[in-house]
Amino acid sequence: MVEKNQLKLKTTWLVSTFVLVLMFALSAWAWIQVPADASLPVHWNAAGVADRYGGKVEGLLLLPLVSLGILVLFNLIRYIDPLRANIERSRQAYRAVLLGTLFFMAVLHTGAVLNAV
């Protein structure tokens, strides 16, 4: 049973790493496409209109870096639980929240990059 759970957790981390690599690859592609002095939208209001702009670093790297931070935080959560039993009992929710958050960030990043390009 433990081996099966470890396999699912490893698969979760592999998928998470793959999504993160794709986000950085998309940023690298867009970095070449966008001019150096470009002002990219980084925040949108409720109507979907850009109301704040930033440079290339903020516009193209902020969401992948935040996603990396989320991935690190989720990895640390496993070690913060003193008995580790709580994480083990809620492993399905753990995986669902991690992957859901990461995919949500990837969709936001894709939209922002395509808008910038």
Side-chain angles (χ1 to χ4, degrees):
M1 180 81 166
V2 173
E3 290 178 20
K4 184 177 179 183
N5 293 336
Q6 290 294 349
L7 179 62
K8 287 183 180 180
L9 191 59
K10 286 181 183 180
T11 303
T12 301
W13 288 107
L14 285 173
V15 169
S16 300
T17 303
F18 180 72
V19 169
L20 197 61
V21 167
L22 285 178
M23 288 174 72
F24 278 107
L26 182 62
S27 292
W29 170 79
W31 192 276
I32 297 168
Q33 307 298 320
V34 175
D37 60 344
S39 181
L40 306 176
V42 293
H43 188 270
W44 292 263
N45 62 19
V49 177
D51 58 3
R52 194 167 85 70
Y53 295 85
K56 279 176 74 169
V57 172
E58 185 179 8
L60 297 177
L61 294 178
L62 181 64
L63 287 175
L65 290 174
V66 168
S67 299
L68 177 62
I70 289 170
L71 199 59
V72 168
L73 178 66
F74 268 81
N75 195 26
L76 290 176
I77 286 173
R78 295 184 341 193
Y79 300 105
I80 292 173
D81 183 16
L83 302 176
R84 295 193 185 150
N86 294 329
I87 296 296
E88 182 59 32
R89 281 195 311 261
S90 60
R91 66 185 173 274
Q92 288 179 329
Y94 176 85
R95 284 194 304 267
V97 171
L98 172 60
L99 292 176
T101 304
L102 198 58
F103 282 124
F104 177 72
M105 296 294 281
V107 167
L108 286 178
H109 179 61
T110 302
V113 167
L114 292 178
N115 188 13
V117 172

